[in-house]
Structure formats: C-alpha cells, structure tokens
Amino acid sequence: MDDATPISADRQKFYNRISPSSMAPLWEVLKGLVPEQPKSKFAPHVWKYADAKPLLLEAGKLLTAEEAERRVLLLENPAAPGASRITATMFAGYQLIMPGEIAPAHRHTASALRMVLEGNGGYTAVAGEKTTMQRGDLVITPSMAWHDHGQEDQKPCIWVDGLDIHMVNFHEAAFSDHFNDKTQMLSKPEGHSEAEFGTGLAPMTHRRPFGATSPIFNYSYAKTRPALMQVAVTDAPDAHLGNALRYVNPQDGGWAMPTIATWMTYLPKGFETRPMRSTDGQGLIVVEGEITFELDGKTHVAGESDVVAIPSWTNKKMRASKDAVVFTMSDRAAQEKLGFYREERK
Ligand code: 1HN
C-alpha cells in the first residue's frame, strides 16, 4: 500500500485484533520489505589514518592488548553509529600491538582478515603456525582457527581487521572460546603452509585443513606487488576495475575466504575507472599512492592506509592521483554463493 495512504479505522481495528496473536498485515510493510532496488542505510565514508594512528597509540597507553583482548578502534559508519560496522555486513577496525605485547589466543566462528599497515616484525599465529607480518600482507584467520598476535620487536605493529562477524551473527550461528594459555603451541615452522599450498603445488593426499577457507594464511605483498606490476606491463587495465587480481583459494579456484571476497588493484597515475555499481558492501584500504573516489556524485580522497566504505549500490568511480595500489574486501563472496550478487557497469 502507498505509505501516504492513511489506515482506515476498520483496518486499524483489525490490525489491533490480530496483533495479540503475533500476526501483522504484510500489505502495510510490503514496499519496505521488497524495495525496487537496494537503498543502503550506510554512507560512503573515508577514515584517515593520520587521524586514527595517534588515537590508536593513545589507546596503547590506556590499556594493554591483553586487557583489551583485541586493542581495536573499530570503524563506525557515520550513518549508523553504534552498529560496529562500515557497511551492512562488514566489520573493520585498526588494531595495535605494542612491543612485547601479546593478544591472547582465542577462536570464533567469524572469519577474519588483516591488511597489514605497519608490520615491523609483528606476528600472527594461526592453527599452530606463525607468520611475520609486513606492510601489504593479507593474513587470514579461518573460522574457528586458534589465533594470537604478538610483537617481539621494538616498534608498534598496526593493521586493519576485516571480519564477517555480522553475517555470522545475523544467522545467530556464533561460537567462541579462549585458549587455556596466552599463546597457542606452535606445531609447524614458519612457512609450512606457504610451502605446502602457496607455490602452485599441493599435497598428494587431498586435505582441506581449513574447510572452505584457503590453506594459505599469508598472501604476502612481496609476491602480490610484483605480480600486479608484471601483469600491468602487458594487460591494459579493465575499464571498470583497473588492473585487479583476486586472492584465490588454491584448492578450488574460488575466493580465499568463503564469505569475504578480497582483491588487490593497481591503478596507474591518471587512470580513471568507468562508473559502476554493485550489490556488495566494500571496504577499501589504500596500500600505495592516492585515489580520488566519486561515490554517488560526491568526491572523497583516500591516501595511504586510509579506509574507504562503499555501501551496496553506490555509484562508484576511482581515479589515481598518484600510482596507486588498493586492497578491497567485500561481502561479494557470500552474495555470489547465495545467488543474489548483481552489478551494473556503465
Ligand atoms: C578479533 O578476534 C580480532 O583476532 C580482531 O585480532 C577484531 C573484532 C570483532 C570480534 C573479534 C583478532 C575482532 C575480533
């Protein structure tokens, strides 16, 4: 029914009568339930690292990583403060580990990724194996895998967390527990999973140690960056995406994580993408350079280590004001599996 149509007295009386039976008329809410096209409750937004870093370091003096369990300044979409998310489904935050600190081992249903900003030799341990983190590395913690973080070096270690926690909680499917020690036992030397799965080879006996998630848990920037640059030598950038490569699960060729799609884009200086929109909610992290975004007609500038939220069905365009590399995380992986991902390229 039209929102503007007043509800007649006899209808309202009927609604009041069915309400105690825990029923309601669909025709009064149908339009809101079935919109003609996505209309996000979230706003495009840029979080500047120059603002975040001093606040994060201040938080570093306020409490220890152990006290906090995870010392994260979570990013709130300004259109939905208190929702602990940057888009409808994506959690993102800046996390800090100070020298000598440990963020204790725990595990949960939600999958997490880290895009490393200032690695400085910090590490994450996942399921018995450590990985040292460098700027631009994509580190993954699969659903229900034990994970702890630490920094044995003398400088702060900072990264952006991305989690599918709101997708898990929407389904009311979340579990978590704490390890009975600060750190988990290490059962494999660093580099084991990279050797086993990250070189184009795989064990003869098929195993899926992390189920639907990639068994590679550090996609290092030392490999990603040269790959992007090498491909760009020969291939012209895609008109809408630029030179983009996606992180792949070597066991099935799909996205590295079952719920969150991840890719890295190189945009040569001056390159401007054609406008497009898509139903996935995206979080972007600028790894190198600077990008001017046009999001639903408004200009936003993002530089190194800034985070950009692009909600569903936002008209988007990117232009590299300097040679730029940008990481994207989005709920596209989940939407594709559920069969409703859609995009429009103009
Ligand atoms: C979490 O476990 C981490 O393990 C980071 O580093 C951020 C945000 C919400 C819930 C759990 C981590 C998180 C989180």
Side-chain angles (χ1 to χ4, degrees):
M1 306 222 89
D2 196 327
D3 294 342
T5 315
I7 299 169
S8 65
D10 57 338
R11 287 184 191 172
Q12 189 58 57
K13 248 168 86 185
F14 174 71
Y15 303 163
N16 293 347
R17 269 180 45 230
I18 67 174
S19 168
S21 308
S22 302
M23 288 186 257
L26 171 62
W27 56 89
E28 293 291 349
V29 293
L30 187 58
K31 275 211 165 138
L33 288 175
V34 191
E36 281 175 14
Q37 55 176 324
K39 192 173 180 325
S40 183
K41 293 191 210 57
F42 301 87
H45 190 73
V46 178
W47 290 264
K48 307 295 287 180
Y49 189 55
D51 298 334
K53 187 177 171 181
L55 298 173
L56 197 55
L57 292 174
E58 218 180 294
K61 296 197 185 109
L62 213 55
L63 77 176
T64 65
E66 209 178 321
E67 276 178 295
E69 184 162 344
R70 293 299 184 265
R71 194 201 286 112
V72 177
L73 291 185
L74 69 87
L75 305 184
E76 293 274 32
N77 189 287
S84 308
R85 66 192 77 194
I86 60 165
T87 63
T89 69
M90 291 294 311
F91 173 99
Y94 286 109
Q95 181 162 174
L96 167 70
I97 305 277
M98 291 299 282
E101 284 190 332
I102 287 169
H106 69 191
R107 61 178 183 175
H108 37 67
T109 306
S111 302
L113 66 81
R114 338 272 166 205
M115 176 44 54
V116 181
L117 302 180
E118 302 190 35
N120 292 327
Y123 69 85
T124 285
V126 176
E129 186 181 334
K130 248 186 190 181
T131 189
T132 304
M133 299 191 282
Q134 314 289 350
R135 182 171 174 83
D137 289 358
L138 171 64
V139 176
I140 291 173
T141 53
S143 180
M144 272 308 181
W146 292 110
H147 55 286
D148 48 87
H149 316 292
Q151 169 58 308
E152 288 155 358
D153 228 319
Q154 292 312 307
K155 287 181 176 163
C157 175
I158 301 175
W159 63 79
V160 175
D161 290 303
L163 285 94
D164 63 3
I165 199 149
H166 298 299
M167 296 189 228
V168 176
N169 289 344
F170 176 78
H171 291 274
E172 301 185 326
F175 294 87
S176 71
D177 47 308
H178 291 92
F179 200 64
N180 58 13
D181 204 348
K182 270 200 269 187
T183 55
Q184 62 186 297
M185 269 94 63
L186 298 175
S187 55
K188 289 163 263 182
E190 181 158 3
H192 181 87
S193 56
E194 169 75 18
E196 221 182 359
F197 294 101
T199 61
L201 301 167
M204 283 293 281
T205 308
H206 187 66
R207 285 187 301 113
R208 297 197 73 136
F210 297 118
T213 303
S214 171
I216 300 171
F217 76 106
N218 187 343
Y219 290 83
S220 72
Y221 198 52
K223 290 171 87 172
T224 304
R225 190 181 196 281
L228 274 174
M229 298 304 152
Q230 176 69 46
V231 169
V233 168
T234 311
D235 294 354
D238 177 273
H240 296 86
L241 302 176
N243 285 104
L245 294 174
R246 63 189 182 86
Y247 293 90
V248 168
N249 179 343
Q251 300 194 304
D252 58 15
W255 302 106
M257 301 170 76
T259 45
I260 305 176
T262 51
W263 63 94
M264 194 71 103
T265 304
Y266 167 57
L267 297 172
K269 182 179 159 128
F271 183 78
E272 182 169 311
T273 60
R274 299 273 314 141
M276 70 175 290
R277 53 185 176 174
S278 51
T279 54
D280 58 333
Q282 301 181 341
L284 284 75
I285 300 153
V286 178
V287 180
E288 291 185 39
E290 189 184 79
I291 299 172
T292 304
F293 291 85
E294 216 179 290
L295 303 172
D296 279 343
K298 271 176 78 178
T299 303
H300 304 255
V301 179
E304 286 183 0
S305 305
D306 295 349
V307 177
V308 186
I310 308 183
S312 171
W313 219 235
T314 302
N315 283 298
K316 55 194 168 208
K317 227 166 72 169
M318 303 189 274
R319 192 175 57 80
S321 16
K322 301 177 187 162
D323 262 7
V325 178
V326 59
F327 171 77
T328 306
M329 56 187 178
S330 111
D331 53 13
R332 175 172 170 171
Q335 290 194 16
E336 283 181 354
K337 288 187 182 70
L338 297 171
F340 49 69
Y341 173 75
R342 219 206 256 205
E343 61 178 43
E344 187 179 271
R345 299 184 179 212
K346 301 175 190 188

